[in-house]
Amino acid sequence: MDWTFLATQATVNGLIVGLLYLLMAVGFTLVFGVMRMVNFAHGEFYMLGAFGAYFLVSGAQLPFMAAVAITFAGALAGGALLEWGVLKPFRRDELNGMIATIGLAMILQNLALMFFGPDPLSMPPVAEGVTRLGKAVVPTARLYVVVFACAVLALLYGFLRFSRPGRALRAVVEDMEIAAIQGIRSRLYYPLGFGLGAGLAAVAGALMAPLFSVSPFVGGAPLLKAFIVVILGGLGSIPGAAVAAMLLGLVESYASLLLAGSTADMLIFAIVMAMLVLRPKGLLGRGEA
């Protein structure tokens, strides 16, 4: 058995999966950082993004990149409207707001079940064939997904780093009280933060659609992984989410190579429990004053 080949393959697969976890986790972190609320509907935006990409590519025959862009724009607008129309009364009530997102998740999932049915749908691959990266062999479709994911993350970085709304949003995420002292009205950034979170979740779903089947129930596992990444990285910490997403992807990939599937899941949750005991604020999270 060529362990060098297997290790290289596991590393490449882990980094690819970690990138997609990062898209989910950054959106989850943005919502928590702005609203101080756990968004349990995050997985349903992933699911809607997957369905959006499926119908735009398979039905409307649009290029995959255009489908991803349209899916993001629709989820951004829809998320902002949902925050303003449904979650606005809970902006200062985190517990009831969290319960409201659970209800929102159930509504979105059942609407998808009514309109699209329970049967999984398969989207045509973005590209055919495989590509060699050293000793690793990677389906070309996965490399396309990686390129698109990196492009989305680069655009998000540019928005948060260089645009005025992006810098204000970062300030609200970092410290809402200091942001208010600087004249930033945080209530104006609630819809933007929630919309961006929904958009990033939808992009993750759209990018995963060519790789896996699409159904109304696909959002549960990505939501759990996003939650794990946010806990490991530190609540509200975007750099922490980036580090934790890559680590989780690599740990999952190596664990699945060396251990049985159930044992690999146990290892991941053991790591989360150890993190909560040894460093409750996460890798790069900050403790409360």
Side-chain angles (χ1 to χ4, degrees), residues 10-288:
T11 301
V12 172
N13 290 339
L15 292 175
I16 292 173
V17 172
L19 271 174
L20 296 170
Y21 288 166
L22 179 55
L23 280 174
M24 282 289 289
V26 169
F28 195 90
T29 300
L30 277 174
V31 173
F32 181 86
V34 173
M35 305 181 69
R36 303 300 188 266
M37 179 182 71
V38 177
N39 177 23
F40 282 102
H42 201 63
E44 273 50 57
F45 288 110
Y46 173 97
M47 175 266 294
L48 292 175
F51 271 113
Y54 172 82
F55 285 111
L56 288 171
V57 172
S58 300
Q61 301 295 315
L62 290 179
F64 181 65
M65 191 61 184
V68 172
I70 293 171
T71 299
F72 172 76
L76 173 65
L81 286 173
L82 278 173
E83 194 286 326
W84 183 79
V86 176
L87 299 176
K88 185 177 179 180
F90 307 108
R91 286 179 179 176
R92 299 292 181 180
D93 188 356
E94 290 86 356
L95 178 59
N96 286 331
M98 182 178 68
I99 294 171
T101 63
I102 295 174
L104 181 61
M106 295 178 67
I107 291 170
L108 291 176
Q109 187 179 93
N110 281 282
L111 284 174
L113 195 60
M114 288 170 56
F115 283 103
F116 308 131
D119 297 328
L121 303 173
S122 296
M123 181 174 163
V126 180
E128 302 288 348
V130 296
T131 301
R132 286 193 169 273
L133 298 176
K135 290 191 173 184
V137 179
V138 183
T140 306
R142 290 202 170 199
L143 290 183
Y144 271 79
V145 168
V146 168
V147 171
F148 293 153
C150 289
V152 170
L153 290 169
L155 289 172
L156 176 67
Y157 175 82
F159 171 76
L160 293 175
R161 180 80 176 176
F162 301 111
S163 72
R164 186 179 180 86
R167 291 197 299 269
L169 188 61
R170 277 172 48 218
V172 172
V173 170
E174 288 293 326
D175 195 313
M176 191 175 295
E177 292 182 359
I178 298 299
I181 292 172
Q182 297 296 322
I184 298 172
R185 290 181 288 181
S186 59
R187 68 179 182 275
L188 300 178
Y189 290 92
Y190 282 107
L192 176 60
F194 195 88
L196 268 178
L200 290 170
V203 166
L207 292 177
M208 291 292 273
L211 306 180
F212 302 100
S213 59
V214 179
S215 80
F217 310 106
V218 296
L223 172 63
L224 179 60
K225 295 301 171 58
F227 195 70
I228 290 173
V229 167
V230 170
I231 293 296
L232 290 175
L235 287 171
S237 173
I238 294 176
V243 174
M246 292 304 169
L247 287 176
L248 180 63
L250 290 171
V251 168
E252 273 195 356
S253 186
Y254 280 109
S256 62
L257 174 65
L258 301 172
L259 305 170
S262 58
T263 309
D265 290 338
M266 289 169 58
L267 174 63
I268 291 167
F269 281 103
I271 292 172
V272 172
M273 292 169 65
M275 176 64 73
L276 290 173
V277 172
L278 300 175
R279 191 175 173 84
K281 64 181 181 180
L283 292 172
L284 298 179
R286 295 181 303 155
E288 294 294 330

